[in-house]
Amino acid sequence: MPANLPPEARAKWLKVMDAKTPEEKIRALEEFISSVPKHKGTENLLLWARRRLSQLREEVEEKKRKRGGGGKGPRFFIEKEGAAQIVLLGVPNSGKSSILSKLTKAKPIIAEYPYSTREPIPGMLEYQDVKFQLVDTPGIPFDTGERVGWMGRTLGLARNADGIILVLDMTRDPLAQLRGAIKELEAHGILVRKPKAEVKIVRTSRGGINVVVLGRLVDASVDDVKKLLREYRIHHVIVKVVGEASIDDIEHSLIGNLTYKPTLILANKIDVPRARRLYELLKRNDIDKYVKTLPVSAITGEGLDKVGETLFNLLGIVRVYTKQPNAEVAENPLILRRGATVLDVAEHVHSRLAENFRYAKIWGKSAKYPGERVGADHVVEDGDIVEIYARG
Ligand SMILES: Nc1nc2c(ncn2[C@@H]2O[C@H](COP(=O)(O)OP(=O)(O)OP(=O)(O)O)[C@@H](O)[C@H]2O)c(=O)[nH]1
Ligand SMILES: [Mg+2]
């Protein structure tokens, strides 16, 4: 339900949007929250606004920590490598480092005591001819809700990644870990479940309000969306809706700043008999329907051979092999997202190739017959071989 804000609150929201620094944003957001009348229609809006506020506060805290001394804790940034960066998250002692050391060549500290990992550690996981970068992180006690100094930095790392592996310690209450993790992640703007709709809002300096609906608006018309944006005094903007969105979803993305990260749950320590029983319980909660879950053991190795393929499918990756006319097929694939076109392939090779594109020949799943001649908007599939013909 749209909030139908009073003019005072709308004006305050404009200030939030125009605030330059996080500190200014925090002040403006606090004022906005206190100006919103509290009733059923504004419940969600306030929830999102408060989340955004706590996220901003963490960011400011983080900056202060960095300024004060600098040496206080390591820098939490890992340069991306390979097809995707996947951050391992989980409670202390859940087995994150053990999993990293089983799946990659990295050599993290593994210990019986909690909080043995103090900084992010990367390693490369190979699946066929694709490499995923896994990043081990210090434990976060999602289940107890206890605060740790590196939480903001660690979840920031996850926000910047392409995906998440949530490691559950199945010898302890897995539901408490899962619930706690989902709550904290959302507070940091991360969704682990794919939302029905994706709404992208880009403010522009002119051109009026443009609403592009690639899916469907379920409970509103394009005019309703325009009205909502005007309520917020946003007059120049591009709104892109993919999937099925409600007017509430649109208001949510305006305020909440949420982003979806493909997430895989590893239910670890499945070699322990108690863990197996708890896993059955977890399955009864239909967890796998929402977030892909694999039972694994970092000790016996059970289930870990499926991680690469599962990530590959979860991330929606396609591999394309390029080829020059009359030459061998390239050994290493280009890594693209599902739905990529021949033009995307050309762009990946070289921007000039895309600019001068004439046509391509294609072999593989997406070709009607081997060597089919296709245009720029032809959608490629995993394993396709593409030969591009350009002018000049
Ligand atoms: N039985 C069993 N024990 C495991 C498994 N995975 C890890 N462990 C043990 O659990 C303890 C913690 O393992 P770590 O890999 O250090 O856990 P972590 O999640 O990296 O811990 P922090 O870095 O402290 O957050 C060690 O004693 C491991 O041997 C598993 O699959 N089964
Ligand atoms: Mg560790």
Side-chain angles (χ1 to χ4, degrees), residues 92-98 111 115-117 139 268-269 271 297-299:
N93 245 333
S94 52
K96 299 175 293 301
S97 302
S98 305
Y115 302 119
S116 48
T117 303
N268 192 33
K269 307 195 184 179
D271 55 288
S297 165
I299 298 287

Side-chain angles (χ1 to χ4, degrees), residues 210-244:
N210 283 297
V211 183
V212 185
V213 184
L214 296 176
R216 195 166 72 90
L217 288 168
V218 288
D219 60 354
S221 66
V222 167
D223 278 338
D224 294 331
V225 175
K226 288 187 177 173
K227 189 165 152 261
L228 177 76
L229 289 158
R230 270 188 234 110
E231 261 189 38
Y232 280 95
R233 307 216 182 150
I234 300 171
H235 300 293
H236 301 289
V237 68
I238 300 169
V239 180
K240 197 170 153 191
V241 181
V242 184
E244 300 206 336

